[in-house]
Amino acid sequence: MIIISGISVHFTGNYLFEDISFIVNNKDKIGLVGKNGTGKTTLMRILNGELQPEKGNISVSNDVKIGYLPQEIKLRSNKTVIDETLTTFKEELALQKSIEKLNQEISARNDFQSDSYHELVQKLAETTERYELLDGSRIEVKAKKILRGLGFLKDDMDKPMSAFSGGWQMRVELAKILLKKPHFIMLDEPTNHLDIQSIEWLENYLIEYPGAIMIVSHDRAFLDNITTRTIEISKGKIYDYKASYTQYEKMRLQREEIETAALNNQQKQVAQIERFIERFRYKASKAKQVQSKIKMLEKMDKAEVDKIDQSSIYFRFPQATPSGKLVLEASDITKSYGTKKVLDNISFAINRGERIAFVGKNGEGKTTLSRIIVGNLSHEGKLKQGHNVSIGYFAQNQDELLDNNKTVFQTLDDIAIGDVRKNIRGILGGFLFSGEDVEKKVKVLSGGEKSRLAIAKMLLLPVNFLVLDEPTNHLDMRSKDILKNALLQFNGTIIIVSHDRDFMNGLTNKVYEFKNKKIIEYPGDIYDYLKSRQLDKLDDLETEKQNEIKEAKSLSTSCSSNKKEWQYRKKTESELRKLRNKISESETKIEELENKLEKLESKLSNPENDSEYISNGKVFEEYNVLKKSLNLEIEKWEKLNIELENKNIT
């Protein structure tokens, strides 16, 4: 469908990428990856026709339509949400106007036998046929369906675009692209502006999408669930893998080992050639051979290894004095902005060591409650902080609170204490500040760079209660791994506002869903919560089924003989025994899994004792598998107990 042949782009004295080639096929689902600054966005803009490569060609079939959503876009529209979305249907809207105009002209005529009248009627028939072929009468229905999937409410459709934030306006742009149904969709960080429910909806939509897709994203779960091919840009080259992101990571490590071996062999070969040249440089009899060796060195393609530095991934928070058992108690918290109420009489308690995820649609009050908790926002109701609680807060605008006149290194050096000071450069490297970057002034950093620096700074503070509002928005995969590893070993209390499922997986043990000005509590981590939400309707059906069974049993009992009643009781007692045995087996399994998790967490808290085992990444995989198995077993245990309780009732 699209052929990229030998394209090169020169940037700041070097090639951003050089002589790269690949093909995008009709149904490819591609994840485009690489370190920040390697040219992912530039490549997408070239494929979209916005930029021209200095060398090479892009061959696109004439009938191929491309849809491109950049990371940021300046939107200025005076239309309503639904009207702005409908602008994507240019032909359908033009046909709609033509049909209205033709109908008006025809209704004003009475020369029914004239040729011009028949021409008008014929034109109306042709226009209407084309309109129906494009399914023009359903464009509003289609638009509203996509908008609802992306999180807009029914009442939002007729509100002006100016009433919504930039993130919500980006959702409208995304809706317009999806409604065009292009042959090739390119999305640059599409999840940045979406909540978990909208991400799930978009994910399912793209999985079933019949065309080709290319995605740049730092959301591992999003990439894994959609893509089946990964193209990496590294050191001006591309590496094409027929694999999802997680599979690609494993294959990349294998490539790194091969590259390292090739580099070592080449270095030995170069050293050998240089020794020969030095030894025989001044011997006339060897002059020809020496020149040959020199030319060999000049022509030799230098082997390179794009190695991932793992040294700072095991950073740990500095120890803080533990808080009391009760960290926070909230009673009847209410918050309004003018006439709009966001939170209504919310009450909850947070105990030491709890790890809570705040989830829900944007605008439901997650950030508002976070700011109330840390004391940055006035409110109604009571909020009582526990004994010896010290709070560390990362706000979405945390980058604005940095001192612009300090350097990157000074920002951390001024607050670092103890042994951590020795590892400041390693920590900064983990958040993509290396070499001369550490001496840059904060004021010259981009928004994303400031955000990464603010997180690195937060990691150095000795606190026992962390409140993190969208901490991963500007982080690449590696930086997120560093932060996640630090949080896994953090022994205090955590609240995380995030839409990144992979990041939150295994980090939290409770979920607060914000909905209709209230919060709903779910036990378990983010995937337990997502599963619970999907089962809500099935639970309703199951309840109806149980009621039907109860009614049938009641009717049967009322008209049965004593013998039938005895047989029924005997059967019930047998079923109860089996259930109790299953519950006992499940409890034993839960205890075993908890013991395994405890041992693994002990290894994570002391990585220096088993650094090789942790460094290969298997520890996170094993941790997540155990955590998932434990949650599934607990869920099974709960269902068995509910079933036992229902049988005791009946």
Side-chain angles (χ1 to χ4, degrees):
M1 183 171 69
I2 300 175
I3 301 172
I4 297 87
S5 179
I7 66 169
S8 300
V9 173
H10 204 254
F11 185 69
T12 63
N14 297 302
Y15 276 104
L16 193 58
F17 36 77
E18 184 176 12
D19 195 27
I20 66 171
S21 302
F22 62 95
I23 296 173
V24 178
N25 299 303
N26 289 335
K27 295 184 179 181
D28 277 345
K29 302 289 192 293
I30 302 168
L32 184 62
V33 303
K35 294 177 182 177
N36 288 6
T38 53
K40 300 186 294 295
T41 296
T42 300
L43 180 57
M44 280 189 161
R45 293 181 66 193
I46 289 172
L47 294 175
N48 195 45
E50 296 177 27
L51 297 175
Q52 293 298 319
E54 292 169 29
K55 297 178 184 177
N57 298 297
I58 308 287
S59 177
V60 184
S61 305
N62 292 330
D63 60 339
V64 169
K65 291 188 294 182
I66 296 175
Y68 172 48
L69 182 76
Q71 282 192 51
E72 301 293 339
I73 190 170
K74 291 182 180 179
L75 300 166
R76 291 180 182 176
S77 173
N78 297 320
K79 295 182 171 63
T80 63
V81 168
I82 186 63
D83 286 342
E84 177 61 32
T85 308
L86 290 174
T87 59
T88 196
F89 295 106
K90 292 180 181 178
E91 185 179 359
E92 290 87 338
L93 292 174
L95 289 169
Q96 206 174 65
K97 286 184 179 180
S98 294
I99 290 169
E100 289 172 4
K101 186 179 179 182
L102 288 167
N103 275 319
Q104 288 173 359
E105 288 182 26
I106 289 171
S107 62
R109 301 278 290 268
N110 55 17
D111 54 335
F112 308 123
Q113 303 302 320
S114 67
D115 291 341
S116 61
Y117 181 85
H118 284 289
E119 286 174 6
L120 277 176
V121 172
Q122 181 63 27
K123 189 175 181 181
L124 175 62
E126 290 171 355
T127 306
T128 303
E129 184 180 357
R130 176 62 181 167
Y131 184 69
E132 289 175 352
L133 184 66
L134 295 173
D135 205 14
S137 60
R138 295 188 69 252
I139 58 174
E140 189 167 334
V141 173
K142 293 176 184 176
K144 286 181 177 179
K145 183 179 178 181
I146 296 289
L147 289 169
R148 291 296 295 272
L150 292 173
F152 286 93
L153 302 175
K154 184 179 179 181
D155 294 340
D156 293 334
M157 304 297 171
D158 296 318
K159 290 180 182 177
M161 288 283 288
S162 57
F164 293 89
S165 67
W168 282 94
Q169 292 188 43
M170 286 292 286
R171 296 190 193 206
V172 174
E173 288 302 301
L174 176 56
K176 288 161 68 175
I177 290 171
L178 298 181
L179 285 165
K180 285 178 182 175
K181 294 188 176 178
H183 301 93
F184 181 35
I185 294 178
M186 292 186 293
L187 305 175
D188 197 349
E189 295 290 359
T191 63
N192 276 358
H193 307 288
L194 302 179
D195 49 60
I196 286 176
Q197 289 91 334
S198 301
I199 290 172
E200 276 198 308
W201 180 89
L202 178 61
E203 198 173 87
N204 292 327
Y205 185 93
L206 294 178
I207 288 169
E208 300 297 327
Y209 193 73
I213 298 168
M214 179 178 282
I215 302 169
V216 173
S217 179
H218 291 142
D219 187 327
R220 184 184 272 103
F222 188 71
L223 286 174
D224 274 343
N225 291 334
I226 297 170
T227 63
T228 55
R229 180 181 172 192
T230 302
I231 294 177
E232 178 195 12
I233 304 177
S234 176
K235 292 187 177 295
K237 301 175 183 178
I238 67 159
Y239 299 87
D240 201 340
Y241 299 86
K242 291 183 178 178
S244 65
Y245 184 82
T246 297
Q247 293 170 323
Y248 143 76
E249 283 187 309
K250 295 174 183 176
M251 295 164 76
R252 192 196 188 286
L253 287 173
Q254 293 171 357
R255 188 188 93 210
E256 187 180 307
E257 291 174 5
I258 294 169
E259 287 176 346
T260 302
L263 178 61
N264 292 337
N265 289 334
Q266 189 182 73
Q267 286 173 338
K268 290 176 184 176
Q269 185 183 2
V270 169
Q272 188 178 357
I273 294 171
E274 286 175 341
R275 282 196 301 271
F276 180 91
I277 293 170
E278 192 62 32
R279 184 178 177 185
F280 299 109
R281 183 185 295 274
Y282 303 108
K283 283 197 175 185
S285 61
K286 297 284 187 180
K288 190 173 182 180
Q289 289 170 282
V290 167
Q291 288 302 314
S292 176
K293 296 288 185 184
I294 291 171
K295 287 179 181 178
M296 184 186 295
L297 282 180
E298 290 172 350
K299 291 180 179 179
M300 189 180 287
D301 290 330
K302 188 178 178 182
E304 291 183 306
V305 180
D306 189 14
K307 197 167 186 177
I308 299 173
D309 178 20
Q310 300 287 346
S311 59
S312 61
I313 200 167
Y314 307 114
F315 172 80
R316 286 185 288 181
F317 281 89
Q319 288 291 325
T321 306
S323 68
K325 185 177 180 182
L326 180 67
V327 173
L328 193 74
E329 187 174 21
S331 302
D332 302 322
I333 300 296
T334 298
K335 178 63 184 177
S336 300
Y337 294 100
T339 58
K340 184 180 179 181
K341 187 175 284 188
V342 180
L343 302 173
D344 186 17
N345 289 320
I346 290 174
S347 300
F348 59 91
I350 298 175
N351 294 316
R352 183 179 62 230
E354 287 192 314
R355 294 161 172 258
I356 302 168
F358 280 7
V359 302
K361 292 183 178 179
N362 291 355
E364 290 283 357
K366 303 186 296 294
T367 294
T368 296
L369 184 56
S370 299
R371 292 183 62 197
I372 288 172
I373 287 171
V374 300
N376 284 358
L377 200 61
S378 62
H379 62 279
E380 297 175 34
K382 294 181 180 179
L383 191 70
K384 181 183 176 184
Q385 197 174 101
H387 174 67
N388 206 34
V389 172
S390 54
I391 298 179
Y393 177 48
F394 181 85
Q396 290 189 45
N397 66 335
Q398 194 73 23
D399 56 295
E400 297 172 11
L401 306 178
L402 297 171
D403 187 337
N404 282 325
N405 294 316
K406 288 184 179 180
T407 66
V408 169
F409 185 84
Q410 285 173 332
T411 301
L412 265 60
D413 190 50
D414 286 352
I415 62 168
I417 56 174
D419 292 338
V420 173
R421 299 194 70 172
K422 300 174 185 176
N423 197 31
I424 287 177
R425 289 185 181 274
I427 295 165
L428 287 170
F431 287 95
L432 308 180
F433 296 104
S434 59
E436 296 177 358
D437 292 339
V438 301
E439 299 304 328
K440 285 182 179 178
K441 294 277 190 181
V442 170
K443 60 186 175 186
V444 303
L445 300 180
S446 67
E449 287 171 330
K450 286 182 179 180
S451 184
R452 295 200 304 273
L453 181 59
I455 287 179
K457 181 181 177 182
M458 180 197 68
L459 290 178
L460 301 183
L461 299 173
V463 297
N464 54 37
F465 182 25
L466 284 171
V467 181
L468 311 176
D469 192 356
E470 298 290 2
T472 65
N473 265 2
H474 298 285
L475 300 187
D476 68 343
M477 300 288 192
R478 172 168 163 66
S479 300
K480 285 196 290 186
D481 285 344
I482 292 171
L483 178 58
K484 182 171 181 175
N485 183 69
L487 292 174
L488 280 170
Q489 298 178 64
F490 180 66
N491 58 7
T493 308
I494 301 175
I495 288 175
I496 303 177
V497 182
S498 179
H499 57 253
D500 191 323
R501 294 157 297 171
D502 180 73
F503 178 74
M504 286 199 290
N505 184 27
L507 272 183
T508 59
N509 51 31
K510 187 181 288 186
V511 175
Y512 284 174
E513 180 187 24
F514 287 66
K515 192 174 183 180
N516 299 326
K517 307 176 186 64
K518 301 288 186 182
I519 58 173
I520 305 166
E521 184 179 311
Y522 292 83
D525 71 3
I526 190 65
Y527 282 101
D528 296 319
Y529 156 72
L530 292 171
K531 190 172 182 181
S532 298
R533 279 182 56 255
Q534 290 170 350
L535 289 175
D536 280 347
K537 291 185 178 179
L538 293 177
D539 287 342
D540 293 341
L541 292 173
E542 187 62 28
T543 302
E544 290 176 10
K545 185 178 177 182
Q546 292 289 347
N547 289 337
E548 289 172 4
I549 292 170
K550 288 179 184 179
E551 289 174 7
K553 284 182 179 179
S554 176
L555 181 63
S556 174
T557 302
S558 65
C559 62
S560 65
S561 64
N562 290 336
K563 185 178 178 181
K564 286 184 177 180
E565 288 177 356
W566 176 81
Q567 288 174 336
Y568 176 73
R569 282 199 304 272
K570 187 177 179 181
K571 183 182 178 184
T572 302
E573 287 170 3
S574 175
E575 289 173 348
L576 287 172
R577 275 196 307 274
K578 289 177 182 178
L579 272 175
R580 291 189 186 104
N581 288 336
K582 286 181 180 179
I583 289 170
S584 179
E585 290 170 2
S586 182
E587 286 171 346
T588 302
K589 193 169 182 181
I590 287 169
E591 187 177 353
E592 290 173 354
L593 288 167
E594 285 176 338
N595 289 335
K596 288 180 181 178
L597 265 176
E598 190 176 340
K599 289 178 182 177
L600 194 58
E601 285 169 349
S602 177
K603 287 184 178 181
L604 277 171
S605 62
N606 297 285
E608 61 276 2
N609 295 337
D610 207 349
S611 58
E612 186 177 349
Y613 171 65
I614 295 175
S615 64
N616 62 19
K618 289 182 180 178
V619 63
F620 298 115
E621 187 176 333
E622 187 178 344
Y623 184 94
N624 288 333
V625 168
L626 280 173
K627 189 78 174 173
K628 191 172 182 180
S629 299
L630 177 59
N631 291 332
L632 287 172
E633 195 59 41
I634 290 172
E635 184 181 355
K636 177 183 173 183
W637 178 83
E638 288 173 345
K639 287 181 178 179
L640 287 169
N641 275 281
I642 291 168
E643 190 177 348
L644 179 64
E645 188 178 335
N646 288 338
K647 285 190 177 294
N648 281 326
I649 292 171
T650 55

